[in-house]
Amino acid sequence: MKLFKWVALTFITLALTSPTFAQSRIKDIVTLQNARDNQLIGYGLVVGLPGTGDSLRNAPFTETSMRSMLDSLGIATESGRARLNNVAAVIVTANFPAFVRHGSRIDVDVSSLGDATSLEGGQLVMTPLRGGDGEIYAVAQGPVSTSGFFARGQAESVSQGTPTSGRIVNGAIVEKEVQANGQEVHEITMQLRNPDYSTAVAITDAINQFSRNTYGRATAREIDARTVVVTKPKNITSARFVASIESLPIETDSPARVVLDSSTGTVVIGQDVRVTPVAVSHGALTVRVSETPTISQPNPFSLGETAVEPLTNIEVTQEGTGLGVVNGASLNSLVEGLNQLGVGPRETIAILQTIKNAGALQADLVVQ
């Protein structure tokens, strides 16, 4: 067990023993505010399911939608309740990228809205996708591809993955474009994916050094930890100007941070995390109480009575009670100190939380 714990913590060390400052391109660490994505949503029906659709008794909106679709196609339906199980009501969502033109195709995600057990083998019927303003920007249709399956018999059922949600690659056709500012924009706003003042200043300095050499003047200024504004020079399009600066190398920086995931036992420790010298004792106290009563039988033909004598056994075991010193001047020394205590990832979570409460962990502690 100790060998497994040592390997787990050593893996974290190998994964994060990199230089404090890492070089990245501007295009990899920022997004353009002038070219933002939009989200689309729609309601539709998936047909052709092999008996895994909505039960119309529990999902009456599926039947209503089905009758409305048939009426729009000029097919008259009876007023009685239908008994179909090959139709499912779904919510269709999509991410609408910037600069997508009329007639382009985008991917869509399909998720069951009723009590359908699987969307495998289904076909999404033409579904309009609307934006936040209520306008229709795309129309989706096509076969649904799921990553799981569902099988059911009379006495048992088996499912794997999530068969009630799927994806249609290039399943939506763009019908309306989102007008985005291109060449007419005078200022380009860059937003950092991971806000940091040092990184924002580094981006500003790199762009200004490039623009002074190329255009004879500085063009960038930092606004805050997330935002850098760049003024586009004259006689050049926004596309060409962004292309000229997006590959500039930047030394990125990030705050000291420890991320703990208690559900999976995952511990991620940043390179800049520091721990002031602290003594840690971590152990488990186990108390086991067992009752083994003895029965006393009287001699034959005697007037005695059967008696039960209680007998209680109490065992106390305590493991891992050693007192260790953790001095995290660097990430290596921090992990080595935890390894000396013989703890695993889940125990490390408890130890780091306690060290943070003691004021010895000089980092931002994020618990998921």
Side-chain angles (χ1 to χ4, degrees), residues 7-219:
V7 171
L9 291 176
T10 303
F11 171 77
I12 297 176
T13 306
L14 295 176
L16 297 178
T17 52
S18 58
T20 303
F21 293 91
Q23 277 200 347
S24 302
R25 298 177 300 178
I26 291 181
K27 65 187 335 180
D28 299 326
I29 59 178
V30 304
T31 58
L32 298 181
Q33 187 179 13
N34 308 77
R36 61 182 295 270
D37 294 352
N38 293 275
Q39 293 179 332
L40 304 179
I41 188 172
Y43 170 82
L45 294 175
V46 172
V47 299
L49 298 174
T52 58
D54 294 337
S55 59
L56 301 185
R57 177 178 299 178
N58 297 329
F61 48 84
T62 304
E63 181 181 3
T64 303
S65 302
M66 182 187 64
R67 294 186 183 278
S68 299
M69 180 188 67
L70 294 177
D71 291 340
S72 65
L73 296 176
I75 302 175
T77 57
E78 298 180 359
S79 58
R81 296 185 61 86
R83 298 183 180 273
L84 303 176
N85 58 1
N86 61 346
V87 182
V90 294
I91 291 294
V92 183
T93 58
N95 189 53
F96 196 56
F99 309 123
V100 174
R101 300 303 180 185
H102 182 272
S104 301
R105 288 184 173 269
I106 58 177
D107 300 342
V108 296
D109 295 315
V110 182
S111 302
S112 174
L113 187 62
D115 59 351
T117 56
S118 177
L119 299 180
E120 180 65 28
Q123 179 88 11
L124 177 67
V125 182
M126 183 182 296
T127 303
L129 302 180
R130 303 176 183 272
D133 55 357
E135 297 290 333
I136 297 177
Y137 288 92
V139 176
Q141 182 172 277
V144 180
S145 176
T146 62
S147 59
F149 68 88
F150 176 83
R152 179 173 57 190
Q154 294 182 353
E156 187 177 359
S157 62
V158 177
S159 64
Q160 182 178 356
T162 309
T164 54
S165 63
R167 190 174 181 86
I168 306 178
V169 179
N170 293 329
I173 301 177
V174 177
E175 300 293 342
K176 183 179 179 180
E177 301 177 6
V178 176
Q179 299 298 328
N181 293 328
Q183 297 181 359
E184 296 77 16
V185 67
H186 179 65
E187 288 188 341
I188 300 172
T189 303
M190 297 182 175
Q191 291 188 333
L192 277 71
R193 292 188 173 93
N194 297 315
D196 183 79
Y197 282 104
S198 299
T199 304
V201 172
I203 293 175
T204 303
D205 294 341
I207 295 177
N208 286 336
Q209 181 179 357
F210 171 80
S211 60
R212 287 192 186 98
N213 297 333
T214 306
Y215 305 105
R217 63 185 183 90
T219 58

Side-chain angles (χ1 to χ4, degrees), residues 61 180 227 233 245 280 300 344:
F61 48 84
T227 309
I245 64 175
V280 178

Side-chain angles (χ1 to χ4, degrees), residues 300-316:
F301 305 104
S302 66
L303 299 178
E305 297 180 355
T306 302
V308 179
E309 297 181 0
L311 179 60
T312 303
N313 296 324
I314 300 178
E315 298 179 2
V316 179

Side-chain angles (χ1 to χ4, degrees), residues 191-343:
Q191 291 188 333
L192 277 71
R193 292 188 173 93
N194 297 315
D196 183 79
Y197 282 104
S198 299
T199 304
V201 172
I203 293 175
T204 303
D205 294 341
I207 295 177
N208 286 336
Q209 181 179 357
F210 171 80
S211 60
R212 287 192 186 98
N213 297 333
T214 306
Y215 305 105
R217 63 185 183 90
T219 58
R221 67 183 187 277
E222 66 279 0
I223 302 300
D224 48 41
R226 182 184 291 272
T227 309
V228 176
V229 176
V230 185
T231 302
K232 181 182 72 66
K234 298 180 180 179
N235 302 326
I236 188 174
T237 63
S238 298
R240 288 185 175 273
F241 179 64
V242 172
S244 65
I245 64 175
E246 65 178 2
S247 296
L248 295 177
I250 302 297
E251 289 188 348
T252 59
D253 194 10
S254 59
R257 183 170 297 165
V258 178
V259 181
L260 309 177
D261 191 340
S262 57
S263 60
T264 61
T266 303
V267 180
V268 179
I269 305 175
Q271 175 68 25
D272 296 327
V273 174
R274 297 293 182 268
V275 177
T276 56
V278 60
V280 178
S281 176
H282 182 77
L285 178 66
T286 303
V287 179
R288 178 179 299 174
V289 179
S290 59
E291 299 287 347
T292 56
T294 59
I295 300 176
S296 177
Q297 294 285 356
N299 294 326
F301 305 104
S302 66
L303 299 178
E305 297 180 355
T306 302
V308 179
E309 297 181 0
L311 179 60
T312 303
N313 296 324
I314 300 178
E315 298 179 2
V316 179
T317 58
Q318 194 168 7
E319 300 177 355
T321 57
L323 188 66
V325 177
V326 177
N327 184 5
S330 65
L331 178 59
N332 288 335
S333 59
L334 171 60
V335 176
E336 288 176 359
L338 295 175
N339 281 332
Q340 291 177 359
L341 294 175
V343 298

